[in-house]
Amino acid sequence: MPDDDHEGYPGRRIDQVASIAHCAVARTKPNVVTLHIGTNDMNQSHDLAGAPKRLGGLIDQVLADSPGATVLVATLIPSVKAGMQPKIDAFNAALPGVVAQRAGQGKHVLLVGMGAVTPSDLAETSHPNDTAYRKTAKAFFTGITTAHQRGWIRTPDGAEGDPKTCGVDSAADLGKGWKPMGVIAPGMGGPAGRIDLVQLNGDHRADYVKIFPDGSVRAALNTLGADGRIHWVDQGIIAPGVGQPGDSVRFADMNGDGLDDYLVVGPAGSMDAHVHVPNTMTWTKIDTFATGTKAGPRARMRLGDVNGDRKADYLVVGRTGAVHAYVNHMTGMSDGNWTEHKYFAKESFYPDTAVAFRDVTGDNRADYLVIQGDRVQAWENQGGDNLTP
């Protein structure tokens, strides 16, 4: 299409999309809105009886925020997850009435049937594979064509848009040199866990891991698809856990081989290392890799390569942002060997909870960042106090 800007929200329920759309639709004034929504409500058994009414409310909200828009409402594609399909069937059965009520009021609302998508078209229990996406696209295109033939596709009233911006899921403009990529990972679903991006196969593309409360880890490898976009290849559980809670688990490259190692940090800062064995998803344990006796509590411990040798160093952030560095001199599969550098960074007077270390300049040395809300301040690491680069 001449203007193919679009946005979408994976993993959201009807009410969650409504809270985002109220801002996004008013701001962008779309002329076509496609809704394939409700699967997450079904999956979470969230107000099932009220789901059709809530969908109707979302349609009304969209049309109020962008008068003259066309809304295409899709029936849900099937699911093979246990207990899901009866919920989907009941929801789909209510959709013709939801659409007909609004069409009878003269609103530009059409029902789009997804009956061509079958369980054999699923990539897993509830998500489509490429065949299903093609069928979905064809169904929506048919709806757009029908709307066009009726004269509905036009520039909506007030198309200059509302200048307000959206907080959640908006693509903020970070300035020159930054290209928005939008949502690159829709999430793994399943039990709650902590998300991190780590290096698992040495290809310099950060991989996606979910660390569960029992310390087990599920991973998806970051691969470059034929379409030039990031594709995630699920590896399942790559680490079963070692009997320690998930909030104690960290990932960092401790021996400089380009692979992140599985680390368990104790409450007082001690650290056991499980070194990543190359070309595998297995780990070799090194007990008490760092004692933590001079370091500090786990909450103020950070890992980052501050001297550019590609080995993560052990950093302790004081309550007002001062940093002590313990430089990592690990060789082979040896225990940790550390050199202490007090006041590697002096007080910044920012709280320790806001301080992070990441290489943002590309020189292999972790820089000092302060992250507060969406705002990031950075100090380039040129060796730090008491440490010659």
Side-chain angles (χ1 to χ4, degrees), residues 36 39 75-81 84-85 88-89 92 114-122 124-128 132:
H36 180 273
T39 299
T75 58
L76 299 184
I77 66 171
S79 171
V80 296
K81 183 176 181 179
M84 274 280 284
Q85 193 57 46
I88 289 174
D89 291 340
N92 282 346
M114 293 294 168
V117 180
T118 69
S120 64
D121 299 323
L122 300 178
E124 41 79 38
T125 56
S126 299
H127 291 103

Side-chain angles (χ1 to χ4, degrees), residues 21-98:
H22 188 59
C23 177
V25 172
R27 176 170 55 87
T28 61
K29 299 293 185 184
N31 62 350
V32 175
V33 175
T34 59
L35 293 176
H36 180 273
I37 188 170
T39 299
N40 292 293
D41 300 71
M42 306 299 109
N43 187 44
Q44 298 174 29
S45 294
H46 178 76
D47 184 22
L48 296 179
K53 182 178 180 180
R54 289 186 289 109
L55 175 59
L58 173 57
I59 297 169
D60 295 339
Q61 172 187 306
V62 166
L63 293 173
D65 287 336
S66 185
T70 294
V71 180
L72 304 178
V73 182
T75 58
L76 299 184
I77 66 171
S79 171
V80 296
K81 183 176 181 179
M84 274 280 284
Q85 193 57 46
K87 301 174 188 177
I88 289 174
D89 291 340
F91 181 75
N92 282 346
L95 295 189
V98 172

